[in-house]
């Protein structure tokens, strides 16, 4: 296999011209670029990837930080989306690196390490906070990025998100139309934008219907958090007949709590995220999900457009929420009310 010098000599061109032709620079004519590529393919020449990155001053890497617990990197629906995103970035010559956050470090620490060390060309952020230090940091450094989720940042930034407010408002109104009047909300931590937005949607629907908003319990957005929050609501003197849960993981934990109390099998429940495991719970979990085909490809497309310099205001996608109806939301309000009150009278 020829090296760069030998390839240049065979073509009667300088090493610089051949190198820039292979890297696709516009100052080399299209005809020369094609001639060089054909010759390189013929002799089996492949550019040195490290040297190429140095010449371009690009890392050819995109990083996404994910919180991690022992034996668990998630949340799982992010991994599905990132898989599709990685495929589309690879077609553009960029590799996606998933960086779990070790104990004792923050996602902001990892961002600083990647950006200030010039190890990445761009970043993806998931599970945004209302006031997100990662977003502020990346904006201050001028590095391209896209978030999965919105923030309350005064400076616009690219994002892809689901309309949690509208989705949770609609889910609550559905329960009200089915006859439920004690509709509880199992909320995620309110510093996260998704959790705050979904809680606002539930609260808005309750107020529209003239119902009390006292049945709200907050927990970690995992099974354990949902389990403990559900137990808290089920201990109330007049407990809920329906539960709207911020995530499927929380809803699965809540299902466990419902199995532990009398009449719990009569309480309706719905989650959000459409995790695959939800179809296999008992009962199968009704849920919500963000609409749109191949969200990973959309995520990648927004990032590539951000890298190309498009304005942030033009790189914001808010998707509608749709219902995935299984069995857990179908329990009738009357049956739940009767079960609750008959147990109180015994």
């Amino acid at each position: 296999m020829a090296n760069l010098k030998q390839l240049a000599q065979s073509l009667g061109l300088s090493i610089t011209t051949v190198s820039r032709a292979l890297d696709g620079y516009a100052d080399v004519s299209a005809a020369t670029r094609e001639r060089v590529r054909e010759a390189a393919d013929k002799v089996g020449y492949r550019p040195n990837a490290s040297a190429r990155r140095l010449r371009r001053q690009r890392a050819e890497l995109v990083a996404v930080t994910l919180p991690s617990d022992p034996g668990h990197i998630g949340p799982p629906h992010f991994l599905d989306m990132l898989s599709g995103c990685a495929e589309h970035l690879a077609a553009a010559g960029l590799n996606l690196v998933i960086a779990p956050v070790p104990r004792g470090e923050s996602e902001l620490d990892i961002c600083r390490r990647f950006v200030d060390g010039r190890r990445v060309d761009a970043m993806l952020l998931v599970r945004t906070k209302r006031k997100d230090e990662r977003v502020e940091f990346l904006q201050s450094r001028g590095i391209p990025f896209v978030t999965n989720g919105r923030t309350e940042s005064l400076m616009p930034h690219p994002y892809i998100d689901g309309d949690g407010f509208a989705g949770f408002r609609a889910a609550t109104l559905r329960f009200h139309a089915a006859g439920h009047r004690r509709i509880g909300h199992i909320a995620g931590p309110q510093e996260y934008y998704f959790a705050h937005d979904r809680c606002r949607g539930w609260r808005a629907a309750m107020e529209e219907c003239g119902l009390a908003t006292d049945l709200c319990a907050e927990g970690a957005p995992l099974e354990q958090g949902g389990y403990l929050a559900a137990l808290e609501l089920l201990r109330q003197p007049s407990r809920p007949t329906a539960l709207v849960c911020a995530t499927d993981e929380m809803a699965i934990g809540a299902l466990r709590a419902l199995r532990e109390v009398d009449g719990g099998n009569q309480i309706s429940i719905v989650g959000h995220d459409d995790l695959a495991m939800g179809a296999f719970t008992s009962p199968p979990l009704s849920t919500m999900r963000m609409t749109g085909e191949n969200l990973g490809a959309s995520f990648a497309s927004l990032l590539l457009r951000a890298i190309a310099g498009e304005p942030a205001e033009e790189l914001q996608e808010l998707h509608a929420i749709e219902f995935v109806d299984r069995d857990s939301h179908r329990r009738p309000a009357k049956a739940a009310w009767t079960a609750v009150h008959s147990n109180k009278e015994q």
Side-chain angles (χ1 to χ4, degrees):
M1 182 175 67
N3 58 32
L4 182 63
K5 182 178 180 180
Q6 291 169 335
L7 179 62
Q9 288 174 340
S10 70
L11 290 165
L13 298 171
S14 70
I15 292 175
T16 299
T17 298
V18 171
S19 176
R20 294 183 71 81
L22 290 171
D23 283 344
Y25 281 93
D27 60 354
V28 180
S29 70
T32 300
R33 291 199 303 269
E34 184 62 26
R35 178 183 166 217
V36 170
R37 290 193 188 104
E38 288 180 357
D41 289 340
K42 186 175 181 179
V43 299
Y45 173 75
R46 293 292 178 270
N48 180 281
S50 297
R52 197 174 188 181
R53 284 195 295 270
L54 286 172
R55 288 195 304 273
R56 290 181 170 185
Q57 294 187 324
R58 288 181 56 188
E60 298 181 356
L61 294 177
V62 174
V64 57
T65 59
L66 284 182
S68 62
D69 295 312
H72 175 81
I73 299 176
H77 62 286
F78 288 143
L79 298 179
D80 291 338
M81 182 177 65
L82 291 174
S83 176
C85 180
E87 181 179 349
H88 284 78
L89 288 177
L94 293 169
N95 296 308
L96 181 63
V97 176
I98 296 177
V101 180
R103 284 179 176 268
E105 290 195 62
S106 69
E107 290 188 65
L108 181 59
D109 293 331
I110 304 299
C111 288
R112 281 202 180 100
R113 188 179 308 158
F114 278 130
V115 173
D116 290 346
R118 297 185 179 181
R119 301 179 186 180
V120 296
D121 298 311
M123 292 200 69
L124 299 173
L125 303 179
V126 301
R127 190 154 276 177
T128 50
K129 293 185 177 180
R130 295 163 63 188
K131 300 186 183 301
D132 202 305
E133 292 181 323
R134 301 169 302 167
V135 168
E136 294 174 359
F137 170 73
L138 294 177
Q139 287 175 328
S140 72
R141 291 295 193 271
I143 187 169
F145 71 97
V146 177
T147 64
N148 179 214
R150 287 164 285 167
T151 69
E152 295 176 357
S153 172
L154 296 177
M155 185 184 300
H157 63 80
Y159 66 74
I160 186 168
D161 199 7
D163 192 348
F165 176 89
F168 275 66
R169 175 180 173 274
T172 306
L173 292 176
R174 279 181 106 199
F175 276 144
H176 181 265
H180 293 275
R181 297 298 179 265
R182 297 288 290 168
I183 306 168
H185 178 47
I186 294 181
Q190 292 299 289
E191 65 264 29
Y192 290 103
Y193 192 96
F194 83 91
H196 178 65
D197 201 38
R198 295 171 189 180
C199 186
R200 288 195 313 114
W202 164 80
R203 191 176 300 276
M206 295 294 282
E207 291 173 350
E208 285 177 39
C209 298
L211 301 176
T213 57
D214 58 313
L215 288 175
C216 181
E218 184 178 323
L222 300 169
E223 292 89 347
Q224 178 74 358
Y227 171 77
L228 295 175
L231 288 179
E232 180 181 336
L233 294 180
L234 294 170
R235 295 189 191 106
Q236 299 297 317
S238 182
R239 72 193 192 190
T241 63
L243 292 171
V244 185
C245 302
T247 71
D248 277 358
E249 289 171 289
M250 299 186 85
I252 290 168
L255 283 173
R256 167 66 183 272
L258 296 182
R259 290 194 293 269
E260 295 180 1
V261 300
D262 292 337
N265 62 350
Q266 297 297 319
I267 297 176
S268 301
I269 187 169
V270 66
H272 185 290
D273 292 333
D274 191 24
L275 297 186
M277 69 182 79
F280 300 95
T281 58
S282 181
L285 180 65
S286 298
T287 186
M288 296 173 262
R289 66 185 174 201
M290 187 164 60
T291 58
E293 294 184 5
N294 202 337
L295 293 172
S298 297
F299 208 17
S301 175
L302 287 177
L303 184 63
L304 292 173
R305 290 167 62 192
I307 292 171
E310 289 192 36
E313 295 88 343
E314 298 178 12
L315 303 175
Q316 298 176 336
E317 292 187 8
L318 185 63
H319 292 248
I321 299 298
E322 63 184 3
F323 293 106
V324 181
D325 290 338
R326 297 193 181 105
D327 294 335
S328 68
H329 80 290
R330 302 182 193 277
R331 295 159 172 176
K334 185 176 180 181
W337 188 92
T338 301
V340 169
H341 287 270
S342 63
N343 288 329
K344 287 175 64 178
E345 293 166 1
Q346 290 175 1

